[in-house]
Structure formats: C-alpha cells, structure tokens
C-alpha cells in the first residue's frame, strides 16, 4: 500500500496562511506559512527552470543555519528532488568523497563557504553552483526574484527518498542515509506525541540542520504540526541562554546534545535563568551524564532524554516528562510505531536485563544507504531489523538504557569495558567540565582505559584525584590506568565528542 507524501507547508497554508512559520534571527526575517509557501514555490521554479533540476536529482546545500535551508528542503519536495545537506565542518577532501558519492546536480552554498564550494564543484564536476546569503544579495535571491510560471507539484509517495543525509562520521567514513517521507512523517508524529508539539509550539533550531538533530528534532515535526521554528545561526551558550529566558520570544521546545547543556550550565546567568515557560528540553545524541541531568533537575528543569540515529528518523527512544526524573539515565521507551529488541552477536534476543546490541524496526527506519545496496546485509538482519551498533539493556519496567556504542568498547585483560559508564562516574567530580574515556594499547592488558579530562575554569583537580575517585566507585578492572588533563576535546559540528580524533600518544 502506498500513500502520497503530503506537502506540509501547502497544507498549513490552506488552513492558516497567516500563522508564523519561520523566524531567522541572524537576518531578522519572519515568514508566515503563506509567505513561506510562496518562497518555496519560487525556489522550486528557480531550481526547475533556472537549473534544470528534475525528480530524483540531488540538491546539495552547504551553509550555516539559515531559514532558506528549509525552503530548499520543501522546494525539493515540490520537484521530487532529493535534498542533500552537507556538513560544513568537513575538509574539502571529505566533502569531495560525499559529493562524488551523492552526485548532486547543484551545490548551493552560503557565501562564507564560497571557496570550498568552488573547489568541490571542480573536483566533483557539479553542473551548478549557487550562492546563498541569509536573505542578502545572492544567486539564490536573484533566482527567486526572477522566477515566474506555474509549478505543477510532482506526486511523491511516502516511500520515496526526500533527503540523503551523510552520517556524521563519528565512527568512520560517512554513509548517505536515504531518508524517506515516511520516516519524516512518523518521526513527526512520534515527536508530537511524546514532546507535546502543537501548532502553538515554538522550537529553536540551533543544532546544524545538516544533522538529523537540527533538521528532525524538532524542526521538521514542528512544520508537520503547523508550529513555529526560530532559526539560530550558531550556538553560543550565553546568547542561547538569553534567548531561552526571553519571555516575549517564548521558546517552548529545544533539543540539544549533552555538550550544549554542559556549556549552558557554565554560562554566567544560568543560576538566575527562568526557563519555566519551556515545555520540553530534550537531550540526546550522546550519553547524557547523570550529574548534568541532576544539575538541571535541581533548578526544577526536566531534561527529557531520547535516543536516536540519523538512520532511525531519528527518534527511537524517548523518556516522557513524568518519568524524566524517576528514570534518570534511561533513554526511555520506544515511540508508538517503533519496535526494538536487544540481541547477541548471532541476532538472538538476550535474556531480559542483559546487555546486547539494540536492533530496531519500524516506519522511521531507513530503507538503506545510498549506493550501498551490496552491503545491505551488513546493516540489516535477514528479517529486516536495522543493527544500531549501540549496546543497550532494559530494566524491570522495560525502560531502555544505552550502555555505549559497540565501536567505543575496548577490551582490557579480557573484560569488555564500556567507556560511558566510567565517563559518568568522572562527571560526578566537581571540577570536571567534560571527559572521554578511550582504550589505548597496553602490553600487559591488551588495552587499558585512558580518561581524557577537561577541567572547569579554576579547578585544580589532578590525575591522582580522578583515579582515586574511580577506585571508590568502579570495579578495579574498569578504573582507567591513565588520566590526561586536556585543554579541550574534539567535537563534531553537533557538539558530540569525536573519540577517534583524540590523540592516542
Ligand atoms: P554518528 O553515529 O555519526 O554520531 P548520529 O548523529 O546518527 O551519527 O548519532 C547516532 C548515535 O548517537 C547513536 O548510534 C548513539 O551511539 C548515539 N546516541 C544517540 N542518543 C544517545 C543517547 N541518549 N545515549 C547514548 N548515546 C546516544
């Protein structure tokens, strides 16, 4: 059975054209659904008539967060084209790999990325290059202004691909996740159900929109429901806290990775900040330290933990607000149409309460990766379950706990060690801002743990204090043998720690 992929913006324009849809803080622009709809039409006409974009063509975009990115995404829907957002943190050689794989027909770039875009266009022989300037003079604005004619919307099915999103590459070469309309619709429904998203909701988009966090938690679900998205170009914790506290702006929803909340908690003014009007503060994308959730809870702010991946829409687990404090540390329960199971390495379900790999099935799970059909069976079981690569466990009430990524696990003296547990213990220490535990080679044990610790300003914690704290709290074999106090940890553009980039010497 198949169903048409409805055009969400068109739908809300029919129902409530005057409703505010999109605010772009950097350029001080605001669009109602009706205005956004008209710009999307012009963007689609420009892409079609000016650049020859047709159904199935890929439209790559590289720019900082900008309301125009959403227009381009919805213009792709109207043409049946595939939206292909690019990670602007990557080096040209990495983007070359991605563009050779994805084969876009046009590369739309923020002016700030003009030189990289020109280089990539040449390296990958991309037919068109289009500049974008956050509402200012650019090829894109000129193209929209000149666009005329009728747009006959291309019929699309829920099973068609809307977006190819390259995974952030925290664990290797990026793969193009094929994200269908169906994934977006079910993810939007799940977010609305678990995060109380309505047409009155106002979400702040600050994670980069080339990642699923920025695009799909909760920006696209907000458009699906007819709410308002407020786009922030880049994350700065002090400005961000001021925006969240602004009663007139009245943000009701936000989703961040743990690093965002760690930085907010350090920002001056955090103690006095009144965030009581915010209905949902979601946290996920990486293991959330318990101490952090408790720090916010002490201010009466419930951080709702969730788990997900680019490949899973992303929402695969969510903690409801009333369980957020009762089940601290858990990523919650699957939303309505998601099925999960925890299996051993032969895909057999492990006994309840034991660790195993989390497998997922449902309408929010990708059909496959772009250009990787031959490897399909590496990613899916024979009966269609997607292998997440994450280790999880369930408690007696059925709540899920993400233990760690299988790839981050290391083996010391024959014992499997999951760094996330150790990191949580180190986070409990007062002077610790951030930390990451990695396995490093060792002659005697095969591998041993090394804790890489970034201190808060003014803290004088030393290596021995970290080790002795771990000795008090952890089994001996889990205590890291080495501690390195570092100035900073490498992060990806979303703010997740890039463990494979931490120097091993
Ligand atoms: P990447 O794997 O490149 O970071 P994604 O942005 O898709 O790409 O991230 C998905 C991964 O993030 C998951 O597989 C998981 O390892 C991690 N993750 C997401 N949410 C959580 C969570 N609540 N707790 C622990 N890890 C999480």
């Amino acid at each position: 059975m198949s169903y048409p992929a409805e055009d969400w913006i068109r739908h809300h324009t029919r129902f409530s054209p005057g409703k505010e849809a999109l605010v772009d803080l950097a350029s001080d622009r605001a669009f109602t659904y009706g205005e956004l709809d008209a710009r999307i039409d012009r963007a689609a006409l420009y892409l079609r008539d000016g650049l020859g974009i047709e159904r199935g063509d890929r439209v790559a975009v590289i720019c900082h967060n900008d309301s125009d990115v959403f227009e381009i995404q919805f213009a792709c829907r109207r043409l049946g084209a595939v939206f292909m957002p690019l990670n602007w943190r990557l080096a040209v050689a990495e983007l070359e790999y991605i563009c050779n794989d994805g084969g876009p027909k046009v590369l739309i770039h923020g002016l700030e990325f003009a030189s990289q875009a020109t280089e990539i266009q040449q390296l990958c022989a991309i037919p068109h290059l289009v500049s974008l300037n956050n509402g200012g003079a650019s090829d894109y604005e000129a193209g929209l202004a000149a666009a005329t004619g009728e747009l006959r919307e291309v019929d699309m099915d829920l099973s068609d691909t809307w977006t190819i999103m390259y995974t952030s590459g925290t664990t290797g070469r990026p793969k193009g996740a094929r994200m269908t309309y169906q994934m977006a619709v079910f993810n939007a429904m799940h977010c609305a159900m678990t995060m109380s998203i309505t047409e009155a909701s106002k979400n702040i988009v600050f994670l980069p929109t080339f990642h699923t966090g920025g695009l799909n938690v909760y920006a696209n679900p907000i458009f699906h429901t007819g709410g308002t998205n407020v786009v922030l170009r880049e994350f700065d914790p002090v400005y961000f806290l001021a925006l969240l506290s602004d009663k007139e702006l009245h943000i009701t929803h936000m989703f961040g990775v743990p690093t965002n909340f760690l930085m907010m908690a350090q920002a001056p003014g955090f103690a006095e900040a009144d965030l009581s009007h915010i209905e949902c503060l979601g946290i996920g994308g990486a293991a959330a330290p318990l101490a952090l959730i408790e720090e916010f809870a002490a201010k009466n702010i419930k951080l709702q933990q969730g788990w997900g991946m680019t490949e899973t829409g992303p929402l695969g687990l969510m903690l409801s607000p009333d369980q957020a404090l009762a089940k601290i540390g858990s990523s919650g329960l699957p939303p309505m149409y998601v099925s999960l199971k925890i299996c051993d390495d032969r895909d057999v379900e492990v006994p309840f309460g034991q660790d195993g790999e989390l497998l997922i099935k449902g309408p929010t799970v990708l059909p496959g990766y772009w250009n990787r059909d031959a490897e399909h069976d590496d990613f899916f079981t024979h009966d269609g379950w997607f292998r997440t690569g994450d280790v999880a466990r369930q408690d007696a009430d059925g709540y899920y706990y993400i233990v760690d990524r299988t790839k981050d696990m290391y083996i010391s003296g024959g014992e499997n060690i999951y760094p996330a547990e150790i990191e949580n213990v180190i986070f409990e220490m007062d002077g610790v801002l951030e930390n990451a535990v990695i396995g490093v080679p060792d002659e005697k044990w095969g591998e041993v743990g090394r804790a890489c610790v970034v201190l808060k300003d003014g803290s004088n914690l030393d290596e021995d204090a970290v080790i002795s704290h771990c000795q008090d709290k952890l089994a001996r074999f889990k205590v890291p043998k080495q501690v390195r106090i570092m100035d900073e940890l490498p992060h990806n553009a979303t703010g997740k720690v890039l463990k494979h980039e931490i120097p091993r010497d």
Side-chain angles (χ1 to χ4, degrees), residues 167-170 284-287 305-311 331 388 390 402 405 496:
T167 55
S168 61
T170 38
Q305 191 167 178
W307 168 91
M309 306 174 70
T310 308
E311 291 87 337
S331 289
T388 67
D390 284 338
I402 302 298
R405 295 177 188 235
K496 297 199 211 186

Side-chain angles (χ1 to χ4, degrees), residues 38 48 108 138 270 347 366 394 406 410 452 454 468 470 487 491:
R48 187 191 70 182
I108 304 178
S138 61
F270 177 71
D347 296 338
L366 82 170
Q394 272 181 289
T406 39
Y410 59 90
C452 305
V454 180
S468 82
C470 290
D487 291 337
H491 292 102

